Amino acid sequence: MGDSALRMRKTTPGEMRSVLADCGRWPGVKRAREVLAFCDARAESALESIGRVVFRGYGLPAPSLPPRPASRGGRPARPAEAG
């Protein structure tokens, strides 16, 4: 969900860090910080996000994700627009 929220520009890493700072000692906040550090807005699908988690679980380096090309309006292009 973090990858998707960042990709869709629903939030920023800074906003997410701010919310976590306000959560102080809530249960799970340490894990949430770890997840935030792992989020990547370049992931274009749930499968890419899950793949990175699986790679990490096996101690493998995360696959590199390509930068998202910009569309004519300057916003990241959807895959159909990129080609």
Side-chain angles (χ1 to χ4, degrees):
M1 287 179 50
D3 290 348
S4 178
L6 293 173
R7 183 183 72 254
M8 295 172 58
R9 297 184 177 179
K10 299 290 183 183
T11 189
T12 66
E15 289 172 339
M16 293 168 75
R17 279 190 296 273
S18 177
V19 168
L20 292 176
D22 290 342
C23 292
R25 298 176 190 240
W26 286 21
V29 74
K30 179 181 176 189
R31 177 72 167 197
R33 286 186 184 111
E34 292 170 0
V35 169
L36 175 57
F38 193 66
C39 287
D40 192 327
R42 296 173 298 166
E44 294 181 348
S45 71
L47 188 56
E48 286 182 356
S49 300
I50 292 166
R52 287 192 353 268
V53 172
V54 170
F55 274 49
R56 184 177 185 172
Y58 282 100
L60 299 170
S64 60
L65 298 174
R68 295 183 65 201
S71 66
R72 292 178 196 211
R75 295 180 8 197
R78 294 185 181 132
E81 297 174 332

